Amino acid sequence: MRLGGVISRFFSKGAARLVGLSLLTALLVLRWADPVIVSNIRNQGFDLYQRISPRPYTPQPVVIADIDEASLARFGQWPWPRTRMAELIEKLTAQGAIVIGFDMVFAEADRLSPVRIAQDNPGLPLEARSALALMPSNETIFAEAISAARVVIGETAARGTTVKQELPDVPNVIKGEDPRPYLTTYSSIVQNLRGIGEKAAGRGVFTVDPDADGVFRRIPLVMQVSDKLRLALSTEVLRIATGGQAFLVVSDAAGVSSVVVGGVAVPTDPNGKVWPWFSKSRPERYVSAGDVLSGNLEPGAVAGKMIFVGTSAVGLEDYRATPVEAAMPGVEIHVQIVENILTGQFLKRPNFALGMELTALLFAGLLIIWLVPKLGAFLALVAAISMLGSLAASSWFAFTQYRLLIDATFPVVAGFSLFAAMATGNYMREEVQKRQIRGAFGQYLSPALVDHLTAHPEKLSLGGETRELSVLFTDVRGFTGISESYKRNPQGLTRLMNRFLTVMSNAILEQGGTIDKYMGEAIMAFWNAPLDTPDHAMRSCRAALAMLKNVKELNEARERELKDSTEETFMMINVGIGINSGECVVGNMGSNMRFDYTALGDTVNTASRLEGQSKPFGLPIIMGNTTAEAVQSVLAIIEIDLIRVKGRAEPERIHALIGDETTRSSDDFVALRAMNAAMLSAYRNQMWDAAFTAMEEAQLLADRMGLDFSDYLFVYEARIAEYRANPPGSHWDAVYVATEK
């Protein structure tokens, strides 16, 4: 009895709960430490989800030119001579391929090159060796084929070496913190032969590291090689296919948040990696390289598509384990990344996942600790199954509905382990009490702190559609003078432009805009596509105001930095901005050789022309009438002219954006707007003296507000002087015809 009493006291409710709390604490610490065995089980749980529900395959403009068994049987063993690879490029290009990416590296000279054959066979007759030596090398022929097409060559990363290599820059812009400390880093890469590499349009790293269990789940979109940012093969092919503009890395103190390639923002984990939602390997993705070379390819099989050259031949051993296939050709992983980008169907392991999983385990564990001593074995088991089953169901729901990877394996396994420990103590107690569950299981919902474009890919229209957009163009005034000042320091100009484009891009992205393209120092952006943005006109205007503020701060910072510099001379950066709103055609535009996600139409053309008008008027932000009508009740706007811009028949009433709500509500602005309206009215009614009087008053008000109206008012002074000398007549419509873009 005394031993039974000791056991009873040891397994009393209070003591059992204390043991349970200790075990729960140990489980939470184990999950936080995340040893390999825990991460492997979690990853295999995610793999199970993908095997049960793989990504549905939908045809995309990306194809694999497969060096398969049939190709090797027809054209000989690998490696093929470079002349055959050149022929492959030429035939793919002739059939309409927009870009060709090689999932391989050409780092060594071709052993079948005529010169090499002559060197390796000294026993050949002298005449034969001389003739071979005079023939062009296979590398030369291959490089010429690359130069005549849009080709991305592959490079493979290498760790554990300090070999110094000259790495060409890939244009990029960084928004936010420096992402390099968070990226996958390689000290060097195995590059292609110099003569080949110099001819390629792009270079992509095809190295992909598996997880600890050998499965390829997380793929880097961007990485660091010898302090330089490089794109993976998949994203580099997409970058070249969409025009070869700079890619954008968005990062903060927590690491990388997204990579923008070809105008599409792809959310990543803090290390710049993505979780592809794999589909099963499909023959529709492949065309045989042998069929391409022999001319047996079906018409249109590669036209207008991105081509990845790789191999599925078993003997070449380029197979990788993925969540849905035990052995998938490595090249298909790159293709599936592009498909994920084009369809917006990546899986997401959100930043809050670990906190959610620990919270789920904590609450489930506390409920188990509280309930098991109060309930009988059967009801406690039912409660545990219901509770932990709900966690698993919530995880499955998050995957199928939102493609979120929320781990249920550890909370479920840990919960049942805790239940078993508690139930064992409960069984050993002399008294078993039965009570009903006194609490409801909480539903854990995602706070949805992820990019809305990839969370709702149905809103991304990959074809053309008509939408009302607000389009913004920017340009740097006097950029030629700035660039000439950096003739002896081109790297300094590159650094300056990167800083400038970063602060300009920040203003656009912070207002939810889409960066269409970078054109040297100029930018085109738009709002209300691909995502719905009802207040697109207001957002475009706020972005423009933020640009002026950011550029002013950049100028001030550069002036301080260059105060004592002998290498660089400070030159002020001034920008002109044009904004217009209206219907546009937006989507993937281009030919079968190249396409961009962009906007077209009269609204876009007019926005570009309005940006040009900021120079003669001396006002940094010029907007069309539709934009002005949408924001004039909030922002400080003045009408400045009725103008017919170059290339457009219809006149446009144009306005200048002066400031935000604070400016609009000021007494000085109210007076300035009224005096400006009086000046325009007098001008349009040919009341030249009254117009001059109003201009003088407007100049005084502008000076008091710290605004530079000198160029704007000079425009009207010059016009009035001309009209005094040559009166416009009674039928004059007051429309000014712009002669410059």
Side-chain angles (χ1 to χ4, degrees), residues 75-84 108-121 132 135-139 141:
F75 291 97
Q77 69 181 16
W78 186 260
W80 285 346
R82 302 284 156 77
T83 51
R84 182 157 295 136
E108 299 176 349
D110 189 350
R111 59 183 175 81
L112 298 178
S113 187
V115 176
R116 184 71 178 273
I117 293 174
Q119 294 173 346
D120 293 346
N121 295 274
L132 288 170
M135 296 175 66
S137 70
N138 289 4
E139 280 73 25
I141 297 172

Side-chain angles (χ1 to χ4, degrees), residues 215-274:
V215 179
F216 291 79
R217 300 184 183 90
R218 285 168 288 188
I219 313 298
L221 295 188
V222 61
M223 60 207 72
Q224 179 183 200
V225 181
S226 296
D227 297 326
K228 294 191 177 182
L229 300 185
R230 303 299 293 270
L231 287 176
L233 178 63
S234 55
T235 37
E236 178 69 357
V237 166
L238 185 60
R239 185 182 74 86
I240 297 301
T242 54
Q245 298 294 328
F247 66 92
L248 173 67
V249 180
V250 183
S251 58
D252 53 30
V256 180
S257 60
S258 66
V259 176
V260 181
V261 179
V264 177
V266 184
T268 69
D269 71 6
N271 304 118
K273 296 182 178 181
V274 292

Side-chain angles (χ1 to χ4, degrees), residues 452-466:
H452 192 60
L453 177 60
T454 55
H456 299 280
E458 69 277 4
K459 295 187 177 182
L460 174 63
S461 177
L462 292 179
E465 62 173 337
T466 300

Side-chain angles (χ1 to χ4, degrees), residues 99-179:
V99 63
I100 302 166
F102 281 93
D103 183 29
M104 57 191 69
V105 62
F106 302 97
E108 299 176 349
D110 189 350
R111 59 183 175 81
L112 298 178
S113 187
V115 176
R116 184 71 178 273
I117 293 174
Q119 294 173 346
D120 293 346
N121 295 274
L124 288 174
L126 180 60
E127 294 82 359
R129 294 178 60 195
S130 299
L132 288 170
L134 293 174
M135 296 175 66
S137 70
N138 289 4
E139 280 73 25
T140 299
I141 297 172
F142 186 43
E144 290 175 351
I146 291 175
S147 179
R150 298 174 75 189
V151 174
V152 175
I153 55 174
E155 297 174 333
T156 182
R159 283 195 177 100
T161 176
T162 58
V163 176
K164 300 297 183 182
Q165 303 177 68
E166 181 182 351
L167 297 178
D169 286 313
V170 176
N172 64 84
V173 177
I174 296 173
K175 176 183 179 293
E177 302 289 334
D178 184 0

Side-chain angles (χ1 to χ4, degrees), residues 518-740:
Y518 296 100
M519 300 162 286
E521 79 284 2
I523 302 175
M524 172 185 169
F526 52 80
W527 281 258
N528 205 35
L531 300 178
D532 292 332
T533 311
D535 58 341
H536 52 88
M538 182 65 70
R539 285 180 176 270
S540 65
C541 292
R542 293 197 185 281
L545 291 172
M547 286 178 180
L548 297 185
K549 175 178 177 292
N550 292 351
V551 171
K552 179 182 177 183
E553 293 174 352
L554 175 62
N555 283 326
E556 292 171 350
R558 291 182 58 246
E559 187 174 17
R560 290 193 300 270
E561 294 166 5
L562 301 178
K563 183 177 181 181
D564 300 321
S565 174
T566 59
E567 297 181 359
E568 294 186 37
T569 301
F570 171 72
M571 294 186 68
M572 182 80 70
I573 297 177
N574 295 302
V575 297
I577 301 171
I579 307 173
N580 195 34
S581 301
E583 284 194 346
C584 304
V585 176
V586 62
N588 276 338
M589 306 292 176
S591 68
N592 59 0
M593 298 293 291
R594 170 181 173 178
F595 62 87
D596 276 313
Y597 186 79
T598 187
L600 302 174
D602 181 64
T603 298
V604 178
N605 297 334
T606 302
S608 177
R609 301 294 186 265
L610 293 179
E611 178 275 314
Q613 292 303 310
S614 66
K615 182 177 181 180
F617 281 106
L619 300 173
I621 306 174
I622 306 293
M623 65 178 63
N625 194 58
T626 302
T627 309
E629 288 179 347
V631 302
Q632 63 185 357
S633 63
V634 178
L635 302 179
I637 305 262
I638 62 167
E639 180 183 347
I640 60 173
D641 205 357
L642 187 60
I643 190 171
R644 184 177 289 111
V645 297
K646 188 173 180 62
R648 195 169 189 265
E650 294 297 321
E652 178 77 16
R653 194 174 300 276
I654 65 174
H655 306 256
L657 175 58
I658 304 301
D660 57 12
E661 299 93 328
T662 302
T663 302
R664 185 182 184 278
S665 63
S666 68
D667 293 338
D668 286 341
F669 174 75
V670 172
L672 175 63
R673 183 174 57 190
M675 192 57 60
N676 181 75
M679 183 269 289
L680 291 177
S681 176
Y683 165 77
R684 290 165 182 169
N685 287 284
Q686 303 184 40
M687 300 167 61
W688 311 130
D689 292 337
F692 264 111
T693 300
M695 277 191 279
E696 292 174 353
E697 291 295 328
Q699 183 68 66
L700 292 174
L701 289 167
D703 291 342
R704 193 158 66 194
M705 294 180 66
L707 301 174
D708 185 359
F709 267 35
S710 56
D711 287 347
Y712 166 52
L713 296 177
F714 178 76
V715 167
Y716 280 97
E717 289 178 10
R719 289 186 194 175
I720 291 173
E722 174 66 23
Y723 290 145
R724 283 186 188 275
N726 301 288
S730 59
H731 298 292
W732 181 53
D733 58 4
V735 174
Y736 180 76
V737 179
T739 58
E740 298 181 357

